[in-house]
Amino acid sequence: MQTNYACELRSEVFNRVSISKLKENAKKLQEEEKRRFREANEEVIRARKTVAVEPSSASRPEVAATPRKDSSPVKPLGSILNLPRILSVNASQVSALWTAYHASRSEGTGRGYLCASIPLEAYERMAAVATRYPTFVLPVPRPDPEAKGNANTTETPYEFQFMQWAFHESPPIPSAAEPDPFVPSTNTYQAADGSSNPPTSSILFTPLQEFKMRNSFATPYLVLTHYTDLARTHGIVLLRGEITPGSGNDGRYLLSQEDAQILSMGVQKFYLWSDNKGVEQKDGSTGESILRTFHEKPSEFDWQEMLKYSTQL
C-alpha cells in the first residue's frame, strides 16, 4: 500500500467513486452484518429449544431457553476486566489499570493495541455526531523512503482510510456482587437516578482503495471500541484499539502504532465538536464544517482542505 495517493486522489478516489457511493456501500455492509448476527442468534435459540425438550439421562432441573445477548460483535469488557472489583477503585485508578493491562500485551511490548480513558461528556458529544455522520475518510502519511533528504520533494503522499462507526447494545451497569452464572444476564439494569449506560460503539478503518475494490469483504486494519460499562459509575468510557496482525508469523501488523494513533486522534479532530465549533484555520474551516460538507454537500467537499486540517497541530 505504498501508492502515492496524494497524486492520484483527483482521478482515482473522489472522481471515480463518489462520496454518496461510499456511504451507500457502508450502509449495505452494516445491513449485511446485522443480518448475519440476527440469523446466528436465531439459530442458537432454535438449538437451545431443541436441547430443552430432549430427554436427559441425568436427573437435573430443566433450564428455560433464553435468547443469547450476543448480537454485538464486540468482545465484552467483562472478559477483559473484573468489573465487580473495578467498582471499588476510582476513575483515575481504572485508567491506570487499563493502560497497564494493554502495555503488558504482545509479550510486554504493547504492540498492536491502543488504549485511552475518555470522559463521558466527551464521548457523548462524539457519539451524537457519529450517529448523524457515521462515515468519513482520514489520511495517513506514506512518505517515500527514496525521497528522504531530497530538497526537491515538498509533497508528502498519503493513504486514505475509510472509517465507519457502528453502535451496539448498551451494556448493563456493573454490580459489586459477582454475577450468578446460572441467571441469564439482561440489559435492564439502571443507575440510582434511572439512567442507563450509552450504547457501546466501534469504528472500523479500511484503506479506501481496498474498500472500493472489496466493499464488505475488505479487511479492517484497525478497530476502535468504546466500552461504556463504567459510564454511569465512573464517568469514563474506555477506548481499546486493536490493529489487525499481518498474514505471516513475523509479528508485523497491517498498521504501525504511529498510524493507528494518527487515526485515533483524527476521530477526535472531526467528531469531538466543541461549543466554539472547534479550532478554526485561517480560512475559517473546522472539523465540523468539513465533516458536514462531506455528508451534506459532497459536491463541495475539498479533500485538500480536509488534508490540511487533519495534519495541522
Side-chain angles (χ1 to χ4, degrees):
M1 305 294 295
Q2 298 298 321
T3 304
N4 188 331
Y5 283 94
C7 295
E8 297 182 353
L9 274 176
R10 287 188 181 87
S11 60
E12 292 296 326
V13 177
F14 292 106
N15 290 341
R16 290 179 54 187
V17 177
S18 65
I19 295 174
S20 59
K21 183 64 176 178
L22 286 173
K23 291 189 286 185
E24 180 183 346
N25 291 340
K27 184 177 180 180
K28 290 180 180 178
L29 175 58
Q30 285 184 320
E31 292 175 349
E32 177 64 19
E33 288 181 345
K34 289 180 181 179
R35 183 188 63 79
R36 288 202 303 268
F37 286 120
R38 183 172 61 252
E39 291 178 351
N41 196 40
E42 291 173 350
E43 182 64 27
V44 169
I45 295 173
R46 287 194 296 269
R48 295 191 64 176
K49 287 182 177 179
T50 302
V51 173
V53 298
E54 288 179 350
S56 174
S57 57
S59 176
R60 56 191 177 191
E62 292 185 1
V63 179
T66 56
R68 283 175 52 178
K69 299 294 183 179
D70 58 355
S71 59
S72 170
V74 174
K75 181 179 182 181
L77 182 61
S79 65
I80 304 174
L81 298 179
N82 188 321
L83 292 179
R85 293 186 180 181
I86 286 294
L87 293 179
S88 64
V89 299
N90 60 38
S92 61
Q93 291 172 319
V94 172
S95 299
L97 288 171
W98 189 243
T99 301
Y101 170 80
H102 287 91
S104 69
R105 301 297 89 188
S106 301
E107 300 180 350
T109 66
R111 292 179 61 244
Y113 294 93
L114 297 178
C115 69
S117 176
I118 305 173
L120 175 58
E121 184 271 339
Y123 172 75
E124 288 180 328
R125 280 194 284 142
M126 284 198 299
V129 176
T131 301
R132 297 165 58 189
Y133 307 124
T135 58
F136 196 51
V137 287
L138 290 175
V140 175
R142 288 288 180 263
D144 185 354
E146 297 181 359
K148 188 175 182 180
N150 187 347
N152 296 325
T153 302
T154 59
E155 189 177 68
T156 301
Y158 286 86
E159 174 187 78
F160 280 78
Q161 293 273 335
F162 179 70
M163 59 167 289
Q164 177 183 352
W165 285 78
F167 289 89
H168 316 288
E169 60 187 16
S170 300
I173 295 176
S175 169
E178 292 286 348
D180 187 340
F182 298 102
V183 176
S185 63
T186 66
N187 287 303
T188 58
Y189 302 124
Q190 290 186 327
D193 61 358
S195 61
S196 59
N197 283 326
T200 299
S201 66
S202 57
I203 311 175
L204 274 62
F205 293 88
T206 306
L208 182 59
Q209 192 73 10
E210 182 171 343
F211 186 81
K212 284 167 52 182
M213 294 186 297
R214 304 184 64 190
N215 292 331
S216 61
F217 296 100
T219 301
Y221 279 33
L222 171 68
V223 179
L224 298 181
T225 303
H226 296 99
Y227 288 103
T228 59
D229 302 64
L230 303 178
R232 300 306 177 200
T233 57
H234 290 71
I236 58 175
V237 173
L238 297 179
L239 169 67
R240 174 184 173 94
E242 297 176 82
I243 308 172
T244 304
S247 57
N249 296 321
D250 53 4
R252 295 185 180 182
Y253 292 84
L254 298 183
L255 280 179
S256 68
Q257 295 288 133
E258 182 180 1
D259 291 343
Q261 191 68 40
I262 289 173
L263 292 174
S264 178
M265 295 299 295
V267 172
Q268 296 183 43
K269 276 196 170 188
F270 287 96
Y271 284 87
L272 186 54
W273 297 356
S274 59
D275 293 338
N276 61 357
K277 308 301 182 184
V279 179
E280 291 190 5
Q281 296 188 136
K282 292 181 179 180
D283 60 3
S285 62
T286 64
E288 176 182 352
S289 64
I290 295 170
L291 184 60
R292 284 184 182 275
T293 302
F294 181 84
H295 283 268
E296 298 176 3
K297 300 177 181 178
S299 61
E300 300 178 13
F301 179 75
D302 185 347
W303 67 268
Q304 290 179 318
E305 178 188 20
M306 181 271 291
L307 185 60
K308 181 179 178 181
Y309 183 79
S310 297
T311 55
Q312 72 176 1
L313 296 177

